[in-house]
Amino acid sequence: MAIIRGASLVLALLGVLQGPAAWAQQKSITVASTTSTENSGFFKHILPLFKTRTGIEVRVVAQGTGQALDTGKRGDADVVFVHDRVKELALVRDGAFVNRHDVMYNDFVVVGPKADPARVSGGRDVVAALRKIASAKAPFVSRGDKSGTHAAELRLWQAADVDPAVGKGGWYRETGSGMGATLNTASGMNAYSLTDRGTWLSFRNRGDLLIVVEGDQKLFNQYGVMLVNPAKHAHVKKEAAQAFVDWLVSVEGQKAIADYKINGEQLFFPSAGR
Amino acid sequence: MNSLGEAFGAAWRLLVGFDAELAQVVGLSLQVSITAVMLATLIGLPLGAVIAVERFCGRQTLIVLLNALMGLPPVVVGLLVYLLLSRAGPLGSLGILFTPQAMIIAQTVLIAPIIAALSRQTIEDAWREYEEQLRSLGAHRLTAGMTLIWDTRFSLLTIILAGFGRAVAEVGAVMIVGGNIDGVTRVMTTAIALETSKGDLPLALGLGIVLITLVVVLNGLVAVIREAALRRYG
Amino acid sequence: MLPLELNGLSFAVGDTRIIRGITARIEAGPRTVILGPNGAGKSVLMRLCHGLLAPTDGRITWHGARNGDVRRHQAMVFQRPVMLRRSALANVMYGLVLAGKSRRESELRAMDVLEVVGLAPHASRPARVLSGGEQQRLALARAWALGPEVLFLDEPTANLDPSATQDIEHIINAIHASGTKIIMTTHNLGQARRLGDEILFLSNGRLMERTPIDRFFREPASPEAAAFIKGELPWQ
């Protein structure tokens, strides 16, 4: 008796153990993207639109930019959709990806405590603001995880002629984690940080933090989409993946991107073909 | 402390509302961890029994190793399984990375040592008590092992529950090999991690309370079954 | 299987010699009681004969064959009964099923034996909830059900009260009457007198003497035995 009950439970659970073939039969592709894009709710908005149009299910694995690019290189995804133009182009040259298309951009903002110890609030010059933060030795939390955001941050410090490593462990804190976790830390420490607007708009644990610097051209963040090279990885679902890439840069896709708003604010700005 | 109150509020709303998305996430958590603990028991229990009753060269070293493996960090297991199942890895052609199967494999690897090590200890303790009598009755070591497994079944059940607890509570392994894909590989712990990273701490904690409630209910059910069986078999 | 021959049997653990060169020939028939003070080596001797321990020197020979898989025709009851976590009936059936009997046969035989020892009403109760005396009776039933040629008993009533002891002794006699050879250890003189036909007296691992029961208490051959008898109170 108990044996029969046990066996039926096993069979029910084995529904989970259908072979990988079953998963592949539904039309689906795997896209490696970034946690900031996922956290902003962007995919929840556009993927259903794509599915309605093509019937293709898109499975997004949200990792840091560095990890996502690595996932693509290994062939564990069909498409990579991140925001580190420099690294992306380098990998296309290396043959890991077929080519790169601009899709959209969003912008970064600097957030900081209401008390604003470095006196940067209201500014539009991010480089000047960073210089002030460094000289005031005001606490600054960085992602420190080789993500697109992290890469952008480091480029800004360079432009400001500041080596943040000097303040490591002191006023400059690296969390080695995603945007959300980093903001949690910044909120807890009442520190400055660099974040993408999307994550900030949907972030619920702001504490005393608010946007202190925005609008600088240097804060614009370019997203690119790339197809994993089928020549290197034969199993890549190239038709379905190409369909996704094509849709993102199409008029319809670009409109869907522009339509995504949080609290009436647009997060991402279409930039294909520019 | 206000967050805590908000969290309980969120948990209550989640439980009362119990929408399709939550049901899916809870269901997947249970599917993955229950399957993993069943597989881990199939592997770990006989292994533990054999080590308990047999004597062989290197036995002590194996026991030390098994005990140490109980402390395997989930994130390390996740990484190892990821490298195995990645397309760039040896088992890449299976194509099961970022699927529930990969998550089951990772959790099985994580808990099999726990079940093996603890059942080894339990059965060895019983063997010390039963050895002479069982040998006198004509049981060879392997038969004795099976008899001991049945006789220590209540202790073993607790061990299996411990394994399940470890599996359903971990996030490091399933996050890496599953990818936390919405609707496909998102389980309770990875959902909690996601909501935390979005800064929605009350919701994250609320999900945590739902998870704990689930595990408590499950343990309660097992306790009831155990009591009934105990009364029957003594 | 009988006679059982012990030839210069010795057993040591490390440097400690527990059994020193015992030579004896045990025949079928009389109830053999191994008597001696605590620490004399009685339990170890039993385990050597039953094959649970291997001698460090000397030989054990059953009816011409070496102590190989003769365990089939022997059974042993220990001082503390070890019951499996299942019903009394299932416990008795365990050895029978192991010996290759069908479940049906085993169940019938087990019920028969439980009847004889007076435990039939408890057949489906968990063995572990029975009292100490009942569990020991169950252990005897379990051993007897196997139909052994030789039954070893190691201080079977040392932990039991007088009334339970009496029950056990009756059953032992019944088993003897059914044709099984009884080899038993005890340190209790009264029990030896009641249950023994011949006495093997052990002291410090050595076989001091081997005497039929009636003569042993009147004129023990060895000074150690004499001291032992004098030292023990008659009603123990």
Side-chain angles (χ1 to χ4, degrees), chain C residues 90-110:
Chain C
N91 264 280
V92 179
M93 285 171 63
Y94 182 74
L96 291 165
V97 172
L98 266 181
K101 293 211 165 15
S102 75
R103 288 198 70 84
R104 189 87 191 98
E105 259 188 271
S106 306
E107 195 174 327
L108 288 170
R109 173 109 181 98

Side-chain angles (χ1 to χ4, degrees), chain C residues 187-208:
Chain C
H187 63 254
N188 181 326
L189 286 182
Q191 185 169 75
R193 221 195 283 258
R194 290 190 293 275
L195 293 186
D197 293 325
E198 65 167 353
I199 302 289
L200 264 66
F201 188 79
L202 247 62
S203 176
N204 266 334
R206 263 185 250 279
L207 180 60
M208 293 286 117

Side-chain angles (χ1 to χ4, degrees), chain C residues 32-38 42 79 153-166 169 184-196 198-202 213 216-217 228-229 231-236:
Chain C
T32 304
V33 170
I34 304 176
L35 194 61
N38 283 330
K42 310 187 292 292
Q79 189 171 334
L153 300 111
D154 187 14
E155 314 241 14
T157 60
N159 297 348
L160 303 180
D161 64 36
S163 120
T165 302
Q166 214 179 31
E169 289 183 2
M184 192 176 112
T185 64
T186 185
H187 63 254
N188 181 326
L189 286 182
Q191 185 169 75
R193 221 195 283 258
R194 290 190 293 275
L195 293 186
E198 65 167 353
I199 302 289
L200 264 66
F201 188 79
L202 247 62
I213 187 73
F216 179 78
F217 287 99
F228 182 71
I229 295 168
E232 293 256 49
L233 299 166
W235 40 263
Q236 256 182 320

Side-chain angles (χ1 to χ4, degrees), chain A residues 194-244:
Chain A
L194 181 75
T195 170
D196 63 286
R197 193 183 292 274
T199 304
W200 179 251
L201 284 177
S202 43
F203 187 67
R204 307 271 208 97
N205 186 29
R206 297 181 182 177
D208 270 341
L209 301 182
L210 37 76
I211 297 179
V212 290
V213 181
E214 60 182 322
D216 190 335
Q217 265 277 0
K218 296 196 188 65
L219 288 172
F220 284 11
N221 178 32
Q222 190 67 247
Y223 280 78
V225 67
M226 305 188 289
L227 177 64
V228 172
N229 193 350
K232 285 213 164 155
H233 300 282
H235 60 269
V236 167
K237 302 184 187 139
K238 50 180 194 265
E239 291 90 22
Q242 189 64 51
F244 184 59

Side-chain angles (χ1 to χ4, degrees), chain B residues 184-203:
Chain B
V184 179
T185 56
R186 187 160 295 169
V187 291
M188 294 230 65
T189 48
T190 56
I192 292 170
L194 178 61
E195 293 309 323
T196 305
S197 82
K198 282 156 98 177
D200 198 341
L201 304 183
L203 181 58

Side-chain angles (χ1 to χ4, degrees), chain B residues 39-112:
Chain B
L39 290 173
T41 303
L42 245 84
I43 299 170
L45 193 54
L47 185 63
V50 165
I51 299 177
V53 303
E54 290 286 352
R55 295 290 173 270
F56 50 87
C57 204
R59 180 175 178 270
Q60 276 305 118
T61 314
L62 188 56
I63 291 175
V64 169
L65 196 68
L66 218 52
N67 287 345
L69 286 176
M70 285 202 284
L72 265 180
V75 68
V76 171
V77 173
L79 201 49
L80 286 168
V81 176
Y82 178 89
L83 291 172
L84 271 173
L85 298 179
S86 162
R87 291 280 180 183
L91 298 177
S93 47
L94 291 173
I96 53 176
L97 190 61
F98 301 141
T99 66
Q101 282 116 299
M103 296 158 81
I104 291 173
I105 291 174
Q107 290 201 341
T108 305
V109 168
L110 189 64
I111 19 177

Side-chain angles (χ1 to χ4, degrees), chain A residues 145-227:
Chain A
D145 65 344
K146 290 195 171 31
S147 56
T149 307
H150 184 222
E153 182 209 315
L154 291 176
R155 283 195 288 272
L156 291 170
W157 286 117
Q158 211 176 24
D161 242 338
V162 173
D163 183 9
V166 176
K168 209 186 280 203
W171 58 270
Y172 186 72
R173 314 267 170 86
E174 291 178 296
T175 62
S177 39
M179 198 67 250
T182 303
L183 283 176
N184 276 332
T185 308
S187 167
M189 284 184 190
N190 255 353
Y192 293 93
S193 190
L194 181 75
T195 170
D196 63 286
R197 193 183 292 274
T199 304
W200 179 251
L201 284 177
S202 43
F203 187 67
R204 307 271 208 97
N205 186 29
R206 297 181 182 177
D208 270 341
L209 301 182
L210 37 76
I211 297 179
V212 290
V213 181
E214 60 182 322
D216 190 335
Q217 265 277 0
K218 296 196 188 65
L219 288 172
F220 284 11
N221 178 32
Q222 190 67 247
Y223 280 78
V225 67
M226 305 188 289
L227 177 64

